[in-house]
Amino acid sequence: MTSRSGESTMTRRKLPIGIQTFSEMREGGYYYVDKTAIAQQMIDQGKYYFLSRPRRFGKSLFLDTLKELFEGNEPLFRGLLIHDLWDWSSKYPVIRISFGGGQFGSTQALQDSLKAQLDELEQAHQLPTSPYSDAPSRFRHLINRLDQKTGRRVVVLVDEYDKPILDALEKPDVARDNRDTLHGIYSIIKDSDAHIRFAFLTGVSKFSKVSLFSGLNNLQDITLDERYSTICGYTDQDVDTVFAPELEGLDREEIRRWYNGYNWLGESVYNPFDLLLLFSQRKFGAYWFETGTPTFLVKSLLGRQVNTPDLTRIHASEALLSTFDVDTMAIEALMFQTGYLTIGTARYRPGAIDIILRYPNLEVEASLNQTLLTHLTQTTSEQAVQSSRLYDLLQANDFDGLRELFHAFYASIPHDWYRKNELARYEGYYASIFYSHFAALGLDIVVEDSSNKGRVDMTVKFNGHLYLFEFKVVELLPEGKAIDQLKAKGYADKYRALGQPIHLIGVEFSRESRNIVGFEVEQA
């Protein structure tokens, strides 16, 4: 098998873990997934673009590719799709600003970063120090002077444009100040239209145009444009061709289950960071998740009393997913933009899109639920012991042990948490605890599993067995309603053709004791 440049795709190369520089990627013998056809399409069809993607998805590398392209570094593009389509005689001055490397928990940190980057840009382009002291004026002056000096309009690339706000979300006043500072910078881009050839801003979140992009309303948001769905990330074809030498000894379907599934209304993609670490370590792990799940997200989920099974089927509009602000943060938008939920299905109707969100893959579903449970148990070690114990009990079909395990868990939840949580009165809360335990193990789970007679609360498929759970909240004593409903509705019928053992499990919780009072198991 060969690539268009004639190089065998079975030749092992270096894994570009952490490499965000296009020249190093091309000259250093690394694997490279060619995104230049997408770059060409963007440049041909527009001038101002915005893209939101989760962290560690390759946004910085794509921006650096654009930088090298506009600066006319032709040797780097030999053998790539864009090489024969680009006018290498035209070279443009590039202003690249990045907030990816800093920490912006204070307003001064942002001011210092802007000053340092503008100083560096003036020096790199051999320009005298600007007579202006404020960042917006310096930025405008830089654009104008580069146009005058080179006779070419300027390319503006902004990487992680929103990080100074995201870093300060737990300090709302700082976040607002940083937002206002950035608003002053970004508004210059539209004001300088006559001097700009191309502009591209990337980040994790899509902040409201009213608060951050007012004055820059000519940005084309390609976040949910299916033509650009694969602009970051690796496709199945990329994995099977570019990375073919790395697949030996790894279960291809498991790679899909663990890391594929991110979707922005087009072809689904893999998280690049995960795949590269998998190929390096040769074992499956939560590599992306472990690099920094924001505590702010976990606190938001617990503080807003979100039922975890609901995260597998959240309904949202395109407008909701594209809006985010310091003062208004819908949990759906927060989780979608940060990569913990993705688009499951989309239904188009006149003037709108109805979207259902889901977990992108096993890594995110298992890891997020494990993290949520750790916050409830308040100790990582205790959660690890419970997960290991649950796995062993399921393998042995030890239902008495399962009852004891969950009874002990509910008993361990601090009383203060119940006092603040109205959901503890309802079945959804107790179902959340069960679901999160099984999800944290990475098991195959269906919540509100539909049949022609209704919906069973939770179905778990494991080790050749099926477990159908029904949850009920009762007063003080078990009433048998949960197991009765499982039998009366015939929920097991849809699975009988599989020929696998089916276990009906009715679980009843006391509203007063906040714990299990009934745990009945029958074979279907």
Side-chain angles (χ1 to χ4, degrees):
M1 186 183 297
T2 57
S3 67
R4 70 184 297 269
S5 61
E7 179 184 6
S8 170
T9 57
M10 294 308 294
T11 302
R12 298 198 76 166
R13 304 176 70 84
K14 290 193 286 187
L15 295 165
I17 299 171
I19 305 299
Q20 301 178 8
T21 306
F22 181 69
S23 60
E24 183 177 357
M25 184 84 79
R26 295 291 291 155
E27 296 171 343
Y30 293 95
Y31 289 108
Y32 175 68
V33 174
D34 190 351
K35 302 286 186 180
T36 60
I38 297 178
Q40 178 77 62
Q41 181 178 348
M42 288 179 63
I43 296 164
D44 287 346
Q45 297 182 0
K47 179 175 178 179
Y48 296 98
Y49 290 96
F50 169 79
L51 175 72
S52 167
R53 284 293 186 271
R55 59 191 171 82
R56 294 186 178 273
F57 250 83
K59 300 186 297 295
S60 299
L61 176 61
F62 188 80
L63 252 70
D64 201 59
T65 305
L66 290 173
K67 175 182 178 294
E68 298 289 357
L69 187 62
F70 278 109
E71 289 181 341
N73 292 320
E74 179 268 340
L76 297 177
F77 294 87
R78 291 174 186 171
L80 300 184
L81 291 167
I82 202 171
H83 182 269
D84 296 339
L85 305 173
W86 190 256
D87 179 6
W88 298 106
S89 65
S90 296
K91 301 186 179 185
Y92 299 87
V94 177
I95 295 174
R96 181 174 178 182
I97 296 174
S98 174
F99 297 110
Q103 294 296 321
F104 301 96
S106 69
T107 55
Q108 189 59 49
L110 176 56
Q111 296 292 344
D112 291 344
S113 175
L114 285 168
K115 181 181 183 305
Q117 293 195 64
L118 290 169
D119 285 346
E120 185 176 335
L121 284 164
E122 288 170 352
Q123 293 168 11
H125 290 286
Q126 299 179 331
L127 295 171
T129 302
S130 173
Y132 300 99
S133 58
D134 64 291
S137 296
R138 288 188 67 187
F139 186 41
R140 184 196 305 273
H141 194 222
L142 176 61
I143 293 172
N144 293 345
R145 284 189 295 167
L146 280 176
D147 188 358
Q148 293 168 5
K149 177 182 177 180
T150 64
R152 294 280 184 180
R153 288 178 296 160
V154 178
V155 173
V156 178
L157 306 173
V158 183
D159 196 11
E160 304 292 353
Y161 88 101
D162 53 344
K163 192 170 184 294
I165 306 172
L166 295 177
D167 280 357
L169 282 179
E170 295 191 71
K171 302 175 183 177
D173 290 341
V174 175
R176 291 187 195 98
D177 287 344
N178 285 353
R179 177 192 65 192
D180 294 343
T181 298
L182 293 173
H183 173 273
I185 292 290
Y186 300 145
S187 63
I188 298 300
I189 297 175
K190 183 178 181 182
D191 291 345
S192 304
D193 178 65
H195 305 285
I196 290 180
R197 165 67 178 88
F198 182 87
F200 188 32
L201 283 73
T202 74
V204 169
S205 298
K206 172 65 182 298
F207 280 87
S208 168
K209 287 184 178 181
V210 174
S211 64
L212 189 58
F213 288 142
S214 59
L216 190 51
N217 54 9
N218 55 342
L219 276 178
Q220 182 179 344
D221 183 0
I222 59 174
T223 301
L224 295 180
D225 188 329
E226 64 180 288
R227 295 173 299 173
Y228 299 105
S229 61
T230 61
I231 191 171
C232 295
Y234 300 149
T235 66
D236 260 324
Q237 183 179 2
D238 294 332
V239 176
D240 291 332
T241 55
V242 177
F243 295 102
E246 303 297 328
L247 295 177
E248 186 177 355
L250 294 171
D251 186 323
R252 184 68 180 86
E253 191 52 44
E254 278 295 283
I255 297 175
R256 252 185 221 101
R257 202 164 74 96
W258 269 81
Y259 304 124
N260 194 11
Y262 292 93
N263 188 280
W264 289 274
L265 293 178
E267 184 179 356
S268 292
V269 296
Y270 293 78
N271 183 313
F273 186 77
D274 274 323
L275 274 187
L276 296 176
L277 266 293
L278 169 67
F279 293 149
S280 172
Q281 303 294 325
R282 312 306 294 178
K283 63 181 181 180
F284 293 92
Y287 301 115
W288 175 78
F289 191 92
E290 291 171 354
T291 59
T293 298
T295 55
F296 180 82
L297 172 62
V298 175
K299 289 179 181 178
S300 294
L301 287 171
L302 294 174
R304 300 183 194 194
Q305 303 177 358
V306 174
N307 277 332
T308 50
D310 291 342
L311 296 177
T312 64
R313 55 180 188 275
I314 289 180
H315 291 255
S317 66
E318 183 179 9
L320 177 63
L321 297 183
S322 299
T323 303
F324 187 84
D325 202 2
V326 176
D327 302 307
T328 307
M329 288 183 289
I331 196 68
E332 299 94 331
L334 177 63
M335 295 194 68
F336 172 71
Q337 294 177 16
T338 51
Y340 297 96
L341 292 178
T342 195
I343 294 175
T345 61
R347 182 173 68 91
Y348 293 83
R349 55 186 174 84
I353 308 175
D354 296 324
I355 292 171
I356 297 179
L357 301 177
R358 59 166 171 79
Y359 291 113
N361 49 43
L362 176 59
E363 178 203 14
V364 175
E365 181 175 15
S367 300
L368 183 58
N369 279 280
Q370 192 170 58
T371 300
L372 291 170
L373 287 173
T374 297
H375 277 72
L376 278 180
T377 59
Q378 300 182 343
T379 63
T380 303
S381 59
E382 185 176 343
Q383 167 55 24
V385 170
Q386 288 172 340
S387 291
S388 178
R389 177 70 174 147
L390 174 58
Y391 188 85
D392 291 341
L393 291 170
L394 273 178
Q395 279 201 313
N397 283 315
D398 184 347
F399 297 109
D400 289 337
L402 281 177
R403 184 190 191 284
E404 292 173 7
L405 177 70
F406 279 99
H407 191 280
F409 178 78
Y410 285 109
S412 72
I413 297 175
H415 177 76
D416 188 58
W417 194 90
Y418 284 104
R419 182 177 60 81
K420 298 175 181 178
N421 190 351
E422 284 298 314
L423 285 179
R425 299 172 55 84
Y426 305 105
E427 292 163 14
Y429 159 71
Y430 297 101
S432 288
I433 299 298
F434 263 78
Y435 165 78
S436 290
H437 270 84
F438 288 105
L441 288 178
L443 302 185
D444 188 351
I445 306 168
V446 181
V447 294
E448 293 198 7
D449 191 5
S450 297
S451 73
N452 60 355
K453 297 181 180 179
R455 295 181 177 182
V456 65
D457 287 336
M458 186 172 78
T459 298
V460 178
K461 303 173 184 179
F462 174 71
N463 202 26
H465 289 246
L466 289 154
Y467 306 85
L468 278 56
F469 289 86
E470 188 70 27
F471 305 105
K472 295 290 182 186
V473 174
V474 297
E475 295 305 324
L476 290 173
L477 299 174
E479 300 175 6
K481 291 182 178 179
I483 195 72
D484 287 347
Q485 181 166 328
L486 283 167
K487 293 187 291 184
K489 294 287 187 178
Y491 288 138
D493 292 347
K494 68 180 287 186
Y495 291 111
R496 294 193 189 282
L498 296 177
Q500 297 177 343
I502 302 173
H503 311 276
L504 306 180
I505 306 174
V507 187
E508 295 184 340
F509 304 90
S510 165
R511 197 184 310 274
E512 299 301 320
S513 68
R514 298 165 180 154
N515 213 320
I516 294 171
V517 292
F519 193 96
E520 296 183 80
V521 182
E522 292 189 18
Q523 302 301 306

